[in-house]
Amino acid sequence: GSLNSNVTTAVNYSMSAAGIASNKNTTAVRNSTDTADITLSGSTAAGTAILVKVEATWSVVGIRPIGIIGSSKIVKGQTTMRKEG
């Protein structure tokens, strides 16, 4: 996808496949050095590195065997991708 909404839709699709509703996580589209949010548009050059970060609260997305992991802990995932051309 070439817009932030395309990235968010792809993340929500993957989270939904794992049984996690889209309103249970946050998605950030950042520059590759993780210093600022970015807005993708048609003028963003193909091949631009894009950092996608997803966060959720453990109590929403995780299993807490005998309560070892606190329910308020944040689960974070990220990947760097290239903008499609």
Side-chain angles (χ1 to χ4, degrees):
S2 59
L3 303 173
N4 291 48
S5 60
N6 298 120
V7 173
T8 301
T9 297
V11 168
N12 289 341
Y13 179 79
S14 294
M15 297 296 275
S16 177
I20 301 167
S22 62
N23 65 343
K24 303 296 183 184
N25 65 79
T26 59
T27 302
V29 179
R30 313 262 303 159
N31 62 10
S32 62
T33 57
D34 198 17
T35 58
D37 289 334
I38 60 173
T39 300
L40 302 175
S41 69
S43 63
T44 304
T48 299
I50 301 162
L51 178 65
V52 179
K53 299 177 85 171
V54 180
E55 295 185 0
T57 305
W58 188 260
S59 63
V60 174
V61 299
I63 298 171
R64 298 183 58 232
I66 62 173
I68 293 173
I69 299 173
S71 63
S72 63
K73 295 283 185 186
I74 303 297
V75 179
K76 300 178 182 183
Q78 68 183 42
T79 189
T80 301
M81 308 172 90
R82 301 274 179 203
K83 183 184 178 287
E84 296 175 350

Coordinates of all heavy atoms in Angstrom, one line a residue:
G1 N 0.8 -1.2 0.0 CA 0.0 0.0 0.0 C 0.8 1.2 0.0 O 2.0 1.2 0.4
S2 N 0.3 2.3 -0.5 CA 1.0 3.5 -0.6 C 0.5 4.6 0.4 O 1.0 5.7 0.3 CB 1.0 4.0 -2.0 OG -0.3 4.3 -2.4
L3 N -0.4 4.3 1.2 CA -0.9 5.3 2.2 C -0.9 4.7 3.6 O -0.9 3.5 3.8 CB -2.4 5.7 1.8 CG -2.6 6.3 0.5 CD1 -4.1 6.4 0.2 CD2 -1.9 7.6 0.3
N4 N -0.9 5.6 4.6 CA -0.9 5.1 6.0 C -2.1 4.2 6.2 O -2.0 3.2 6.9 CB -0.9 6.3 7.0 CG 0.3 7.1 7.0 OD1 0.9 7.4 5.9 ND2 0.9 7.3 8.2
S5 N -3.2 4.5 5.6 CA -4.4 3.7 5.8 C -4.3 2.3 5.2 O -4.8 1.3 5.8 CB -5.7 4.4 5.2 OG -5.5 4.6 3.8
N6 N -3.5 2.2 4.2 CA -3.2 0.8 3.6 C -2.4 0.0 4.6 O -2.6 -1.2 4.8 CB -2.4 0.9 2.3 CG -3.2 1.6 1.2 OD1 -2.8 2.6 0.7 ND2 -4.4 1.1 0.9
V7 N -1.4 0.7 5.3 CA -0.6 0.0 6.2 C -1.4 -0.4 7.4 O -1.4 -1.6 7.9 CB 0.6 0.9 6.7 CG1 1.3 0.3 7.9 CG2 1.5 1.2 5.6
T8 N -2.3 0.5 7.9 CA -3.1 0.2 9.1 C -4.1 -1.0 8.7 O -4.3 -1.9 9.6 CB -3.9 1.4 9.5 OG1 -2.9 2.4 9.9 CG2 -4.8 1.1 10.7
T9 N -4.7 -0.9 7.5 CA -5.6 -2.0 7.1 C -4.9 -3.3 7.1 O -5.4 -4.4 7.5 CB -6.2 -1.7 5.7 OG1 -6.9 -0.5 5.8 CG2 -7.1 -2.8 5.2
A10 N -3.6 -3.4 6.6 CA -2.9 -4.6 6.5 C -2.6 -5.2 7.9 O -2.7 -6.4 8.2 CB -1.6 -4.4 5.7
V11 N -2.2 -4.3 8.8 CA -2.0 -4.7 10.2 C -3.2 -5.2 10.9 O -3.2 -6.2 11.5 CB -1.4 -3.5 11.1 CG1 -1.4 -3.8 12.5 CG2 0.0 -3.1 10.6
N12 N -4.3 -4.5 10.7 CA -5.6 -4.9 11.3 C -6.0 -6.3 10.7 O -6.6 -7.1 11.5 CB -6.7 -3.9 11.0 CG -6.5 -2.6 11.9 OD1 -5.7 -2.6 12.9 ND2 -7.1 -1.5 11.5
Y13 N -5.8 -6.5 9.5 CA -6.1 -7.8 8.9 C -5.3 -8.9 9.5 O -5.9 -9.9 9.9 CB -5.9 -7.7 7.3 CG -6.2 -9.0 6.7 CD1 -7.5 -9.4 6.3 CD2 -5.1 -9.9 6.3 CE1 -7.8 -10.6 5.7 CE2 -5.4 -11.1 5.7 CZ -6.7 -11.5 5.4 OH -7.0 -12.7 4.8
S14 N -4.0 -8.7 9.7 CA -3.2 -9.7 10.3 C -3.6 -9.9 11.8 O -3.6 -11.0 12.3 CB -1.7 -9.3 10.3 OG -1.3 -9.2 8.9
M15 N -3.9 -8.8 12.5 CA -4.3 -9.0 13.9 C -5.6 -9.7 14.0 O -5.8 -10.5 14.9 CB -4.3 -7.6 14.6 CG -3.0 -6.9 14.6 SD -1.8 -7.7 15.7 CE -2.2 -7.0 17.2
S16 N -6.5 -9.4 13.1 CA -7.8 -10.0 13.1 C -7.7 -11.5 12.9 O -8.4 -12.3 13.5 CB -8.7 -9.4 12.0 OG -10.0 -10.0 12.0
A17 N -6.8 -11.9 12.0 CA -6.5 -13.3 11.7 C -6.0 -14.0 13.0 O -6.2 -15.2 13.1 CB -5.5 -13.5 10.6
A18 N -5.4 -13.2 13.9 CA -4.9 -13.8 15.2 C -6.0 -13.7 16.3 O -5.7 -14.0 17.4 CB -3.7 -13.1 15.6
G19 N -7.2 -13.2 15.9 CA -8.3 -13.1 16.9 C -8.2 -11.8 17.7 O -8.9 -11.7 18.7
I20 N -7.5 -10.8 17.2 CA -7.4 -9.5 18.0 C -8.1 -8.4 17.2 O -7.7 -8.1 16.0 CB -5.9 -9.2 18.2 CG1 -5.2 -10.3 19.0 CG2 -5.8 -7.8 18.9 CD1 -3.7 -10.2 19.0
A21 N -9.1 -7.8 17.8 CA -9.8 -6.7 17.1 C -9.0 -5.5 16.8 O -8.1 -5.2 17.6 CB -11.1 -6.4 18.0
S22 N -9.3 -4.8 15.8 CA -8.5 -3.6 15.4 C -8.5 -2.5 16.4 O -7.5 -1.7 16.5 CB -9.0 -3.1 14.0 OG -10.3 -2.6 14.2
N23 N -9.5 -2.5 17.3 CA -9.5 -1.4 18.3 C -8.7 -1.8 19.5 O -8.7 -1.1 20.5 CB -11.0 -1.1 18.7 CG -11.7 -2.2 19.3 OD1 -11.3 -3.4 19.3 ND2 -12.8 -1.9 20.0
K24 N -8.0 -2.9 19.5 CA -7.3 -3.4 20.6 C -5.8 -3.2 20.4 O -5.0 -3.6 21.3 CB -7.5 -4.9 20.9 CG -9.0 -5.2 21.1 CD -9.5 -4.6 22.4 CE -10.9 -5.0 22.6 NZ -11.5 -4.3 23.7
N25 N -5.3 -2.5 19.4 CA -3.9 -2.3 19.1 C -3.8 -0.9 18.5 O -4.7 -0.3 18.0 CB -3.3 -3.3 18.2 CG -3.9 -3.3 16.9 OD1 -3.5 -2.5 16.0 ND2 -4.8 -4.3 16.6
T26 N -2.5 -0.4 18.5 CA -2.2 0.9 17.8 C -1.1 0.6 16.8 O -0.3 -0.2 17.0 CB -1.8 2.0 18.8 OG1 -0.6 1.5 19.5 CG2 -2.8 2.3 19.8
T27 N -1.2 1.3 15.7 CA -0.2 1.2 14.6 C 0.4 2.6 14.4 O -0.4 3.6 14.2 CB -0.9 0.7 13.3 OG1 -1.5 -0.6 13.6 CG2 0.1 0.5 12.2
A28 N 1.7 2.6 14.2 CA 2.4 3.9 13.9 C 3.2 3.6 12.7 O 3.9 2.6 12.5 CB 3.3 4.3 15.1
V29 N 3.2 4.6 11.8 CA 4.0 4.6 10.6 C 5.1 5.7 10.8 O 4.8 6.8 10.9 CB 3.2 4.9 9.3 CG1 4.1 4.9 8.1 CG2 2.1 3.9 9.2
R30 N 6.3 5.2 10.9 CA 7.4 6.1 11.3 C 8.5 6.1 10.2 O 8.6 5.2 9.4 CB 8.1 5.6 12.6 CG 7.1 5.3 13.7 CD 6.9 6.4 14.7 NE 8.1 6.8 15.3 CZ 8.2 7.9 15.9 NH1 7.2 8.8 16.0 NH2 9.4 8.3 16.5
N31 N 9.4 7.1 10.3 CA 10.6 7.0 9.4 C 11.5 5.9 9.8 O 11.4 5.4 10.9 CB 11.3 8.4 9.3 CG 11.8 8.9 10.6 OD1 11.9 8.1 11.6 ND2 12.2 10.1 10.7
S32 N 12.4 5.5 9.0 CA 13.2 4.3 9.3 C 14.1 4.5 10.5 O 14.6 3.5 11.0 CB 14.0 3.9 8.0 OG 14.9 4.9 7.7
T33 N 14.4 5.7 10.9 CA 15.3 5.9 12.0 C 14.5 6.1 13.3 O 15.0 6.3 14.4 CB 16.2 7.2 11.9 OG1 15.3 8.3 11.6 CG2 17.1 7.0 10.7
D34 N 13.1 6.0 13.2 CA 12.2 6.0 14.3 C 12.3 7.3 15.1 O 12.2 7.4 16.3 CB 12.5 4.8 15.3 CG 11.3 4.6 16.2 OD1 10.2 5.0 16.0 OD2 11.5 3.9 17.3
T35 N 12.4 8.4 14.3 CA 12.5 9.7 15.0 C 11.2 10.6 14.8 O 11.0 11.6 15.4 CB 13.7 10.6 14.5 OG1 13.6 10.7 13.1 CG2 15.0 9.9 14.9
A36 N 10.3 10.1 13.8 CA 9.1 10.9 13.6 C 8.1 10.0 12.9 O 8.4 9.1 12.1 CB 9.5 12.1 12.7
D37 N 6.8 10.4 13.1 CA 5.7 9.8 12.3 C 5.8 10.3 10.9 O 6.3 11.5 10.7 CB 4.4 10.2 12.9 CG 4.1 9.5 14.3 OD1 4.6 8.4 14.5 OD2 3.3 10.0 15.0
I38 N 5.4 9.5 9.9 CA 5.4 10.0 8.6 C 4.0 9.8 8.0 O 3.3 8.9 8.4 CB 6.5 9.4 7.7 CG1 6.3 7.8 7.6 CG2 7.9 9.7 8.2 CD1 7.2 7.2 6.6
T39 N 3.7 10.5 7.0 CA 2.5 10.4 6.2 C 2.8 9.9 4.8 O 3.5 10.7 4.1 CB 1.6 11.7 6.2 OG1 1.3 12.1 7.5 CG2 0.4 11.5 5.4
L40 N 2.4 8.8 4.4 CA 2.7 8.2 3.1 C 1.7 8.9 2.1 O 0.5 9.0 2.4 CB 2.6 6.7 3.1 CG 3.5 6.0 4.0 CD1 3.2 4.5 4.0 CD2 4.9 6.2 3.7
S41 N 2.2 9.1 0.9 CA 1.3 9.7 -0.1 C 1.8 9.2 -1.5 O 2.9 8.5 -1.5 CB 1.3 11.2 -0.1 OG 2.6 11.7 -0.5
G42 N 1.1 9.6 -2.5 CA 1.5 9.2 -3.8 C 2.9 9.8 -4.2 O 3.6 9.2 -5.1
S43 N 3.3 10.8 -3.5 CA 4.6 11.4 -3.8 C 5.7 10.9 -3.0 O 6.9 11.2 -3.2 CB 4.5 13.0 -3.6 OG 4.3 13.2 -2.3
T44 N 5.4 9.9 -2.1 CA 6.5 9.3 -1.3 C 7.2 8.3 -2.3 O 6.6 7.5 -3.0 CB 5.9 8.5 -0.2 OG1 5.2 9.3 0.7 CG2 7.1 7.8 0.6
A45 N 8.5 8.5 -2.4 CA 9.3 7.7 -3.4 C 9.2 6.2 -3.2 O 9.3 5.8 -2.0 CB 10.8 8.2 -3.4
A46 N 9.1 5.5 -4.2 CA 9.1 4.0 -4.2 C 10.5 3.6 -3.6 O 11.5 4.2 -3.9 CB 9.0 3.4 -5.5
G47 N 10.5 2.6 -2.7 CA 11.7 2.2 -2.1 C 12.0 2.9 -0.7 O 12.9 2.5 -0.1
T48 N 11.2 3.9 -0.4 CA 11.4 4.6 0.9 C 11.3 3.6 2.0 O 10.3 2.9 2.1 CB 10.4 5.8 1.0 OG1 10.6 6.7 0.0 CG2 10.6 6.4 2.4
A49 N 12.2 3.6 3.0 CA 12.1 2.7 4.1 C 11.1 3.2 5.1 O 11.1 4.4 5.4 CB 13.5 2.6 4.8
I50 N 10.2 2.4 5.6 CA 9.1 2.7 6.4 C 9.1 1.8 7.6 O 9.2 0.6 7.5 CB 7.8 2.6 5.7 CG1 7.7 3.5 4.5 CG2 6.6 2.9 6.6 CD1 6.7 3.1 3.5
L51 N 9.1 2.3 8.8 CA 9.1 1.5 10.0 C 7.6 1.4 10.5 O 7.0 2.5 10.6 CB 9.9 2.2 11.1 CG 9.9 1.5 12.5 CD1 10.6 0.1 12.4 CD2 10.7 2.4 13.5
V52 N 7.1 0.2 10.7 CA 5.8 0.0 11.1 C 5.8 -0.6 12.5 O 6.5 -1.6 12.7 CB 5.0 -0.9 10.2 CG1 3.6 -1.1 10.7 CG2 5.0 -0.3 8.8
K53 N 5.2 0.1 13.5 CA 5.2 -0.3 14.9 C 3.8 -0.6 15.3 O 2.9 0.1 15.0 CB 5.8 0.8 15.8 CG 7.2 1.2 15.4 CD 7.7 2.3 16.2 CE 8.3 1.7 17.5 NZ 9.0 2.7 18.3
V54 N 3.6 -1.7 16.0 CA 2.3 -2.1 16.5 C 2.5 -2.4 18.0 O 3.4 -3.0 18.4 CB 1.8 -3.4 15.8 CG1 0.4 -3.8 16.3 CG2 1.8 -3.2 14.3
E55 N 1.5 -1.9 18.8 CA 1.5 -2.0 20.2 C 0.1 -2.5 20.7 O -0.9 -2.0 20.1 CB 1.9 -0.8 20.9 CG 3.3 -0.3 20.7 CD 3.7 0.9 21.5 OE1 2.9 1.4 22.3 OE2 4.9 1.3 21.3
A56 N 0.1 -3.3 21.8 CA -1.1 -3.7 22.4 C -0.8 -4.0 23.9 O 0.3 -4.2 24.2 CB -1.7 -4.9 21.7
T57 N -1.9 -3.9 24.6 CA -1.7 -4.3 26.1 C -1.8 -5.8 26.2 O -2.6 -6.5 25.6 CB -2.9 -3.6 26.9 OG1 -2.9 -2.2 26.6 CG2 -2.7 -3.9 28.3
W58 N -0.9 -6.3 27.0 CA -0.8 -7.8 27.2 C -2.1 -8.4 27.6 O -2.5 -9.5 27.2 CB 0.3 -8.1 28.2 CG 0.6 -9.6 28.3 CD1 0.1 -10.5 29.2 CD2 1.3 -10.3 27.3 NE1 0.5 -11.7 28.9 CE2 1.2 -11.7 27.7 CE3 2.0 -10.0 26.1 CZ2 1.8 -12.7 27.0 CZ3 2.6 -11.1 25.5 CH2 2.5 -12.4 25.9
S59 N -2.9 -7.7 28.5 CA -4.1 -8.3 29.0 C -5.1 -8.5 27.8 O -6.0 -9.3 27.9 CB -4.8 -7.4 30.0 OG -5.1 -6.1 29.5
V60 N -4.9 -7.8 26.7 CA -5.9 -7.9 25.6 C -5.4 -9.0 24.6 O -6.2 -9.7 24.0 CB -6.0 -6.5 24.9 CG1 -6.8 -6.7 23.6 CG2 -6.6 -5.5 25.8
V61 N -4.1 -9.1 24.4 CA -3.6 -10.0 23.4 C -2.8 -11.2 23.8 O -2.5 -12.1 23.1 CB -2.6 -9.2 22.4 CG1 -3.3 -8.1 21.7 CG2 -1.4 -8.7 23.1
G62 N -2.5 -11.3 25.1 CA -1.7 -12.4 25.6 C -2.4 -13.3 26.6 O -3.5 -13.0 27.1
I63 N -1.8 -14.4 26.8 CA -2.2 -15.4 27.8 C -1.4 -15.2 29.0 O -0.1 -15.0 28.9 CB -2.0 -16.8 27.3 CG1 -2.9 -17.0 26.0 CG2 -2.4 -17.9 28.3 CD1 -2.6 -18.3 25.3
R64 N -2.0 -15.1 30.2 CA -1.2 -14.8 31.4 C -1.2 -16.0 32.3 O -1.9 -16.1 33.3 CB -1.9 -13.6 32.1 CG -1.9 -12.4 31.3 CD -2.5 -11.2 32.0 NE -1.7 -11.0 33.3 CZ -2.3 -10.9 34.5 NH1 -3.6 -10.9 34.6 NH2 -1.6 -10.7 35.6
P65 N -0.4 -17.0 32.0 CA -0.3 -18.2 32.9 C 0.1 -17.8 34.3 O 1.1 -17.1 34.5 CB 0.7 -19.1 32.2 CG 1.5 -18.2 31.3 CD 0.7 -17.0 31.0
I66 N -0.7 -18.2 35.2 CA -0.6 -17.9 36.6 C -0.2 -16.4 36.9 O 0.4 -16.1 37.9 CB 0.4 -18.8 37.4 CG1 1.8 -18.8 36.8 CG2 -0.2 -20.2 37.4 CD1 2.8 -19.6 37.6
G67 N -0.5 -15.5 36.0 CA -0.4 -14.1 36.2 C 1.0 -13.6 36.3 O 1.3 -12.5 36.8
I68 N 2.0 -14.3 35.7 CA 3.4 -13.9 35.8 C 3.6 -12.6 35.0 O 4.3 -11.7 35.5 CB 4.3 -15.0 35.2 CG1 4.2 -16.2 36.1 CG2 5.7 -14.5 35.0 CD1 5.0 -17.4 35.6
I69 N 3.0 -12.4 33.9 CA 3.2 -11.2 33.1 C 2.0 -10.3 33.5 O 0.9 -10.6 33.4 CB 3.1 -11.5 31.6 CG1 4.3 -12.4 31.2 CG2 3.2 -10.2 30.8 CD1 4.2 -13.0 29.8
G70 N 2.4 -9.1 33.9 CA 1.4 -8.1 34.3 C 0.5 -7.7 33.2 O 0.9 -7.6 32.0
S71 N -0.8 -7.6 33.5 CA -1.8 -7.3 32.5 C -1.6 -5.9 31.9 O -2.1 -5.7 30.8 CB -3.2 -7.3 33.2 OG -3.4 -6.3 34.2
S72 N -0.9 -5.0 32.5 CA -0.7 -3.7 31.9 C 0.5 -3.6 31.0 O 0.8 -2.5 30.5 CB -0.7 -2.6 33.0 OG 0.4 -2.8 33.8
K73 N 1.3 -4.6 30.9 CA 2.5 -4.6 30.1 C 2.1 -4.4 28.7 O 1.1 -4.9 28.2 CB 3.3 -6.0 30.2 CG 3.8 -6.2 31.6 CD 5.0 -5.4 31.9 CE 5.7 -5.8 33.2 NZ 6.7 -5.0 33.6
I74 N 3.0 -3.7 28.0 CA 2.8 -3.4 26.5 C 3.6 -4.4 25.7 O 4.8 -4.6 25.9 CB 3.2 -2.0 26.2 CG1 2.4 -1.0 27.1 CG2 3.0 -1.7 24.7 CD1 0.9 -1.0 26.9
V75 N 2.9 -5.0 24.7 CA 3.6 -5.9 23.7 C 3.8 -5.0 22.5 O 2.9 -4.3 22.0 CB 2.6 -7.1 23.4 CG1 3.3 -7.9 22.3 CG2 2.2 -7.8 24.6
K76 N 5.1 -5.1 22.0 CA 5.5 -4.2 20.9 C 6.1 -5.1 19.8 O 6.8 -6.0 20.1 CB 6.5 -3.2 21.3 CG 6.0 -2.2 22.4 CD 7.1 -1.3 22.8 CE 6.7 -0.4 23.9 NZ 7.7 0.6 24.3
G77 N 5.7 -4.7 18.6 CA 6.3 -5.4 17.4 C 6.6 -4.3 16.4 O 6.0 -3.3 16.3
Q78 N 7.7 -4.5 15.6 CA 8.0 -3.6 14.6 C 8.7 -4.3 13.4 O 9.3 -5.3 13.6 CB 8.8 -2.4 15.1 CG 10.2 -2.8 15.5 CD 10.9 -1.6 16.1 OE1 10.4 -0.8 16.8 NE2 12.2 -1.4 15.7
T79 N 8.6 -3.7 12.3 CA 9.3 -4.1 11.1 C 9.6 -3.0 10.2 O 8.9 -2.0 10.2 CB 8.5 -5.2 10.3 OG1 9.4 -5.8 9.3 CG2 7.3 -4.7 9.7
T80 N 10.6 -3.0 9.4 CA 10.9 -2.0 8.4 C 10.6 -2.6 7.1 O 11.0 -3.7 6.7 CB 12.4 -1.6 8.5 OG1 12.7 -1.1 9.8 CG2 12.7 -0.5 7.4
M81 N 9.9 -1.8 6.3 CA 9.4 -2.2 4.9 C 9.9 -1.2 3.9 O 10.2 -0.1 4.3 CB 7.9 -2.4 4.9 CG 7.5 -3.3 6.1 SD 5.7 -3.4 6.2 CE 5.3 -4.7 5.1
R82 N 9.7 -1.4 2.7 CA 9.9 -0.5 1.6 C 8.6 -0.1 1.0 O 7.7 -1.0 0.8 CB 10.8 -1.0 0.6 CG 12.2 -1.5 1.1 CD 13.1 -0.3 1.1 NE 14.4 -0.7 1.6 CZ 15.3 0.1 2.2 NH1 15.0 1.4 2.2 NH2 16.4 -0.3 2.6
K83 N 8.4 1.2 0.6 CA 7.2 1.6 0.0 C 7.2 1.0 -1.4 O 8.1 1.0 -2.1 CB 7.1 3.1 -0.1 CG 5.8 3.6 -0.8 CD 5.8 5.1 -0.9 CE 4.5 5.5 -1.6 NZ 4.4 5.1 -3.0
E84 N 6.0 0.5 -1.8 CA 5.8 -0.1 -3.1 C 5.8 1.0 -4.1 O 5.5 2.2 -3.9 CB 4.5 -0.8 -3.1 CG 4.4 -2.0 -2.2 CD 3.1 -2.7 -2.2 OE1 2.1 -2.1 -2.7 OE2 3.0 -3.8 -1.6
G85 N 6.2 0.6 -5.3 CA 6.3 1.6 -6.4 C 5.1 1.7 -7.3 O 4.1 1.1 -7.2

